């Protein structure tokens, strides 16, 4: 699947009513202003309500002293996927906590994929699981994020 090619700036135009279209509009708006994810070479490949799939190639400057991908970069990829998934319903949402377990290393040139899936959403809080894999489908890390909904939305003009 081709990545969603998010390059345009956020818009306050009409907010899509259909959940899939809304998730995609949110992803586009968020990515347009997400300098951290862009700077690390991440791509948003897929968005859906409560779901996001991002990719990132391991570059030489991402390597640690063992010549494997520094865990902080894998964490950043998982954290970004979590952020896109938990904001996909157009309610501004932030992390309230997260954990990660590294189970295998990533190497130079690996194409990492982080898939974030909503496990629970109730009131202002949610739980999301993110799995990071390499281009061969090997699991490298498990991330669990807890979210908290705040005031505001990503696209459109907030209604009172």
């Amino acid at each position: 699947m081709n990545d969603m090619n998010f390059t345009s700036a956020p818009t306050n135009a009409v907010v899509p009513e259909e959940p899939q279209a809304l998730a995609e509009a949110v992803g586009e708006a968020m990515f347009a202003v997400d300098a951290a994810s862009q700077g690390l070479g991440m791509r948003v490949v897929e968005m859906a309500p409560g779901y996001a799939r991002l990719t990132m190639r391991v570059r030489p400057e991402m390597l640690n002293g063992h010549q494997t991908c520094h865990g902080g970069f894998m964490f950043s990829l998982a954290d970004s996927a979590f952020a896109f998934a938990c904001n996909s319903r157009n309610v501004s949402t932030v992390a309230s906590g997260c954990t990660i377990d590294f189970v295998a290393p990533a190497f130079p040139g690996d194409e990492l994929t982080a898939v974030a899936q909503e496990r629970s959403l109730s009131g202002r809080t949610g739980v999301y699981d993110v799995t990071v894999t390499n281009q061969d489908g090997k699991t490298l890390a498990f991330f669990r994020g807890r979210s908290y909904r705040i005031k505001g939305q990503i696209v459109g003009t907030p209604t009172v």
Side-chain angles (χ1 to χ4, degrees):
M1 171 179 278
N2 294 333
D3 51 288
M4 299 179 71
N5 195 23
F6 294 154
T7 56
S8 62
T11 177
N12 284 337
V14 177
V15 176
E17 290 185 29
E18 195 271 321
Q20 179 61 37
L22 179 60
E24 291 175 6
V26 166
E28 182 175 345
M30 284 181 61
F31 193 76
V33 295
D34 186 345
S37 295
Q38 290 179 34
L40 291 174
M42 293 181 200
R43 294 177 303 147
V44 179
V45 177
E46 187 177 6
M47 288 284 300
Y51 175 92
R53 181 163 52 107
L54 277 67
T55 61
M56 178 182 77
R57 182 157 313 274
V58 177
R59 303 184 314 226
E61 64 271 19
M62 296 175 169
L63 302 180
N64 61 23
H66 298 289
Q67 294 302 287
T68 59
C69 184
H70 189 288
F73 291 106
M74 280 198 280
F75 182 95
S76 292
L77 176 63
D79 188 46
S80 287
F82 163 54
F84 280 88
C86 68
N87 281 279
S88 63
R89 289 188 174 83
N90 201 31
V91 177
S92 293
T93 306
V94 296
S96 64
C98 54
T99 60
I100 192 164
D101 292 298
F102 300 105
V103 296
F107 299 97
D110 279 356
E111 180 78 10
L112 306 184
T113 299
V115 174
Q117 297 180 305
E118 186 177 270
R119 297 299 182 207
S120 173
L121 182 61
S122 179
R124 297 185 133 217
T125 63
V127 175
Y128 295 77
D129 286 332
V130 184
T131 302
V132 179
T133 59
N134 68 9
Q135 67 281 354
D136 299 322
K138 182 176 183 177
T139 300
L140 307 179
F142 297 104
F143 173 107
R144 174 158 276 190
R146 295 177 311 282
S147 68
Y148 185 77
R149 288 179 159 190
I150 59 174
K151 291 182 181 180
Q153 59 190 51
I154 312 304
V155 296
T157 304
T159 56
V160 179

